[in-house]
Amino acid sequence: MKSVDAFRKRLRELGLAGANHPSPLLCDDEALPAPQSPLSRPVQFDGFRVGNRFCIHPMEGWDATPDGNPSEHTCRRWQRFGESRAKLIWGGEAVAVRHEGRANPNQLLAASHTKSGLARLREKLLTAHRDCYGSTDDLLVGLQLTHSGRFCRPNDRAKLEPRILYHHPILDRKFGLPSDWPVLTDGEIRSIIDDYVAAAELAADVGFQFVDLKHCHGYLGHEFLSAFTREGPYGGSFENRTRFLRETVEGIRAAVPSLALGVRISAFDVVPFRPDPESSVENAPGIGVPEDFSTCLPYHYAFGVSPDNPVEYDLTETFMLLQCLNDMGIRLVNVSCGSPYYNPHIQRPALFPPSDGYQPPEDPLVGVARQIAVTRRLKERFPNMILVGTGYTYLQEYLPHVAQHIVREGHVDFVGVGRMVLSYHDLPADILRGNAFDRKRICRTFSDCTTGPRRGLISGCYPLDAYYKASEEAKTLRSLKAKSTRNE
Ligand SMILES: Cc1cc2nc3c(=O)[nH]c(=O)nc-3n(C[C@H](O)[C@H](O)[C@H](O)COP(=O)(O)O)c2cc1C
């Protein structure tokens, strides 16, 4: 799309904007520089002053050392986050609270032997920011804490070692879990809570200002929210399904009262998707279709989903979750959705699917608009909360035009950027300086940052970042992709 008008026309064609639309996706005519841009306005809350409205989302690189310390690639990524000019760093990337909860054998770990490594990583980011912008006084940096639950691969990139809370009729089948696979006991859950508390203490000790208790993307925290069918204190009622969250918060507050808390949520979900074999063309995977859920109704296996029609979202419990966070004095919430493992088109709208994905079943702009509209509804209901929005990368050239409009209207507090900063890390700086866009670095959602790790490689922007483009991994990735195209 060559102009803002063409972009707006496309939004209207897709039914995402128009005269009587209840929640249209709107954008400004031009991206403004600081200080005119609403994106340059600081936010104050809970004793923090955050210098602008850009947030860097957490993004793993699958590139830590086997013992969970940062590698040179990890350090480079965090350094670039610091150079970006974004003033909110939401966690850097997911850091596992124990080895068995790692999503891959190269995920960062929070443990005594990684403490100085994590401190170094944070320091790299701060130094880079200070060198570029003079001060870090208005920079807020947190650490994302995670346990990967159903998607643990701690020892071998190709081998799932799931820690599940309940048996899921579709995900068990999809990921080959036998019906007698053990579920985590209540005692094991309590010891995981202890790990979160220890990791939070460590994060506070090395200077992180907040930790995110990750509740999104199908990982353990998120799975608690959908543990309708689990017996005992951590399953069934909404109160029980949020007990893990509440007990973790209580534990951290008792151990490190000064540490701020945030939560990244999957505000809504849909049933898992799969490629439709009927629609496979020219060796590409088919278009995404929902897995058969006809024998699973009412659907009690996802959070923020209509139980009678689980391809539609339902925010009833999402509102309850935000109320629960609000009641605990947690105002900082990063709003995401779905899972990259079973419905990536919802979570990371993209034109090109990852290698284990499917062709987009909708225009990716529909996915972007869905995330923006849901976040707006949450903000309207909880104006006091500080919300970070997700899913902006696919907007490409029009990211600043949309982001600026939404922030000005107060529909979100921070605009989170994910994939875009892997290819174009200083995009926030360019926007705020009023520089012309470096179009060659705009993420075109090729999904190689996801395909790489799915094929056992480190993550990064292979098509556009020279650092990865020139690497041995890039050659391996090209040949793996070529091979799989021939075989499929
Ligand atoms: C390579 C890669 C790694 C990611 N790692 C994490 C992670 O560690 N924690 C997390 O909450 N989200 C993670 N995400 C999701 C992003 O934070 C973000 O929600 C997603 O990319 C959508 O935002 P975007 O449209 O700006 O890319 C990851 C995404 C990518 C592409």
Side-chain angles (χ1 to χ4, degrees):
M1 280 160 272
K2 295 246 183 310
S3 66
V4 177
D5 282 343
F7 174 64
R8 288 198 176 112
K9 183 165 167 270
R10 182 71 186 139
L11 294 178
R12 284 194 301 275
E13 281 164 10
L14 291 167
L16 302 174
N20 298 319
H21 200 290
S23 183
L25 182 59
L26 299 176
C27 68
D28 284 358
D29 289 332
E30 58 175 325
L32 299 170
Q36 295 93 317
S37 171
L39 296 168
S40 67
R41 287 184 203 142
V43 190
Q44 309 232 26
F45 62 94
D46 298 349
F48 297 118
R49 181 175 186 278
V50 186
N52 63 39
R53 304 306 187 97
F54 283 106
C55 167
I56 304 290
H57 281 315
M59 269 176 304
E60 288 170 71
W62 287 258
D63 54 16
T65 59
D67 74 347
N69 268 295
S71 67
E72 61 186 294
H73 307 302
T74 328
C75 290
R76 176 184 184 263
R77 195 168 50 254
W78 283 56
Q79 202 168 323
R80 282 157 65 97
F81 291 168
E83 290 166 4
S84 70
R85 197 167 164 179
K87 292 289 185 179
L88 174 55
I89 309 295
W90 190 284
E93 62 191 272
V95 177
V97 297
R98 61 161 69 175
H99 172 75
E100 67 171 39
R102 291 166 93 183
N104 69 80
N106 295 88
Q107 184 170 44
L108 286 174
L109 189 64
S112 53
H113 69 275
T114 62
K115 189 170 176 178
S116 57
L118 292 174
R120 199 172 65 245
L121 206 46
R122 175 183 162 276
E123 204 42 60
K124 287 250 178 235
L125 190 154
L126 262 66
T127 305
H129 193 81
R130 199 179 297 114
D131 288 350
C132 291
Y133 309 108
S135 154
T136 56
D137 292 350
D138 55 357
L139 177 69
L140 181 61
V141 185
L143 190 70
Q144 183 177 57
L145 301 182
T146 191
H147 182 297
S148 301
R150 189 175 283 276
F151 299 105
C152 293
R153 282 189 181 90
N155 299 307
D156 177 343
R157 284 178 178 219
K159 186 170 162 236
L160 272 173
E161 298 179 47
R163 302 284 187 272
I164 58 171
L165 297 172
Y166 63 90
H167 279 281
H168 191 296
I170 299 177
L171 292 179
D172 280 11
R173 191 177 66 231
K174 198 174 174 67
F175 294 99
L177 230 61
S179 57
D180 59 352
W181 190 264
V183 294
L184 283 171
T185 64
D186 295 343
E188 285 171 321
I189 290 171
R190 290 191 190 103
S191 98
I192 293 172
I193 293 175
D194 291 343
D195 291 339
Y196 271 85
V197 175
E201 282 186 272
L202 184 146
D205 269 3
V206 302
F208 287 98
Q209 291 144 295
F210 73 96
V211 289
D212 162 26
L213 307 175
K214 185 175 187 181
H215 273 62
C216 58
H217 304 167
Y219 297 114
L220 190 71
H222 188 203
E223 183 152 306
F224 272 106
L225 300 177
S226 65
F228 293 90
T229 55
R230 184 184 167 94
E231 307 272 316
Y234 295 100
S237 65
F238 178 79
E239 200 197 345
N240 283 354
R241 284 180 282 119
T242 50
R243 189 179 303 282
F244 166 79
L245 173 62
R246 283 181 284 110
E247 290 183 353
T248 307
V249 170
E250 278 162 26
I252 295 174
R253 291 251 166 91
V256 256
S258 60
L259 183 66
L261 297 175
V263 180
R264 190 165 205 212
I265 59 169
S266 278
F268 61 92
D269 212 336
V270 293
V271 287
F273 270 54
R274 65 180 172 88
D276 179 2
E278 303 287 307
S279 64
S280 167
V281 275
E282 289 177 12
N283 297 328
I287 295 169
V289 289
E291 298 271 3
D292 179 13
F293 55 81
S294 57
T295 56
C296 315
L297 294 173
Y299 197 76
H300 288 309
Y301 309 101
F303 179 76
V305 157
S306 161
D308 301 321
N309 184 15
V311 286
E312 282 185 2
Y313 64 80
D314 177 342
L315 299 182
T316 312
E317 287 210 335
T318 315
F319 290 134
M320 289 165 69
L321 179 61
L322 260 71
Q323 187 61 54
C324 167
L325 292 170
N326 201 39
D327 293 347
M328 289 191 286
I330 297 178
R331 295 171 68 197
L332 196 52
V333 176
N334 186 323
V335 184
S336 185
C337 62
S339 165
Y341 295 101
Y342 57 79
N343 48 28
H345 75 285
I346 294 286
Q347 200 253 335
R348 302 177 187 170
L351 201 52
F352 304 95
S355 61
D356 60 347
Y358 42 78
Q359 298 300 328
E362 61 188 12
D363 188 300
L365 282 172
V366 176
V368 175
R370 186 184 295 113
Q371 295 201 46
I372 288 175
V374 165
T375 307
R376 176 178 171 178
R377 282 181 66 189
L378 298 180
K379 183 69 189 170
E380 281 166 358
R381 187 74 79 98
F382 296 92
N384 209 27
M385 298 197 90
I386 306 295
L387 299 190
V388 180
T390 299
Y392 287 80
T393 287
Y394 186 73
L395 292 166
Q396 303 170 60
E397 277 85 348
Y398 304 103
L399 186 157
H401 304 71
V402 171
Q404 188 176 292
H405 181 87
I406 293 174
V407 169
R408 179 188 305 102
E409 295 300 312
H411 299 325
V412 78
D413 298 285
F414 288 93
V415 169
V417 267
R419 290 162 296 176
M420 182 68 87
V421 292
L422 295 180
S423 61
Y424 192 171
H425 71 286
D426 47 356
L427 172 109
D430 272 354
I431 293 173
L432 295 176
R433 284 193 196 112
N435 290 349
F437 260 23
D438 182 354
R439 294 173 63 98
K440 287 200 203 79
R441 289 197 291 150
I442 294 179
C443 170
R444 302 297 180 191
T445 65
F446 291 114
S447 290
D448 278 4
C449 52
T450 305
T451 296
R454 297 283 196 263
R455 301 282 166 137
L457 302 170
I458 61 172
S459 177
C461 183
Y462 289 96
L464 302 181
D465 181 350
Y467 181 83
Y468 292 96
K469 211 175 184 169
S471 68
E472 279 305 307
E473 281 85 357
K475 282 187 208 145
T476 313
L477 183 62
R478 274 195 298 274
S479 91
L480 285 170
K481 283 173 75 173
K483 242 187 248 157
S484 79
T485 309
R486 279 199 298 275
N487 294 341
E488 270 152 15

